[in-house]
Amino acid sequence: MINDEYFLAALRLAAGNDPMPGHVSAAARDAYGLRVPQAVTAAPAESATPHGVRGIDGCQLVRFVAAGLTFDLEVTVGDGLIDVAGQIVPHPGEGTHVDVRTPHLTLTRRLARTGQFAATGLPPGWLSVVCHRPGHPPVQTRWVRIRP
């Protein structure tokens, strides 16, 4: 004898009308919320890997390039938190700021005249930096995973 619930589930699957689980929809909404509309995505430079290059004292050095800008990021993990020291060259111009982002936290920083910025106390995991220049589309780095 066929179980009615299994039979109905099989019919829904065959018809392509099986409802999407709630956690899948929630994850999709969260991921969509992380996008930066009209942003140009900077890719890792050839000399760096997408996951960073392990340096001394647990420091990771990562370089991204796009739209005439170079992002140099030095990421350090200590006491379970991430510190980011970065520089964007050439300096993108007056009024420029960066967002240092994790999936759950964004810290906004103004650039120094040298193009440098820093953000400390970020949770470990995924990280991206977005450069906002007046009159230009934002430039964002790819997401990189920083592990303690």
Side-chain angles (χ1 to χ4, degrees):
M1 183 117 198
I2 297 176
N3 181 318
D4 288 344
E5 288 182 32
Y6 289 130
F7 180 69
L8 291 174
L11 287 175
R12 280 195 303 271
L13 282 171
N17 292 327
D18 198 30
M20 186 174 300
H23 71 280
V24 173
S25 295
R29 281 191 300 277
D30 289 344
Y32 185 75
L34 294 174
R35 70 179 175 74
V36 178
Q38 301 175 345
V40 175
T41 301
E46 282 187 30
S47 62
T49 67
H51 303 291
V53 176
R54 184 81 53 194
I56 58 172
D57 298 329
C59 175
Q60 294 185 32
L61 305 173
V62 186
R63 174 173 279 177
F64 295 91
V65 179
L69 298 176
T70 299
F71 293 70
D72 285 322
L73 306 177
E74 181 179 311
V75 182
T76 307
V77 179
D79 295 329
L81 297 174
I82 298 171
D83 296 334
V84 178
Q87 183 174 23
I88 299 176
V89 291
H91 189 284
E94 289 299 316
T96 297
H97 69 276
V98 295
D99 291 332
V100 181
R101 306 182 309 152
T102 72
H104 306 290
L105 176 69
T106 298
L107 299 178
T108 300
R109 299 292 188 256
R110 293 270 174 217
L111 291 182
R113 291 182 186 187
T114 59
Q116 295 175 319
F117 62 93
T120 60
L122 298 164
W126 294 98
L127 175 77
S128 175
V129 176
V130 182
C131 177
H132 298 275
R133 305 174 290 172
H136 297 278
V139 180
Q140 66 185 356
T141 67
R142 287 187 180 172
W143 287 90
V144 292
R145 187 168 184 191
I146 308 300
R147 299 174 192 216

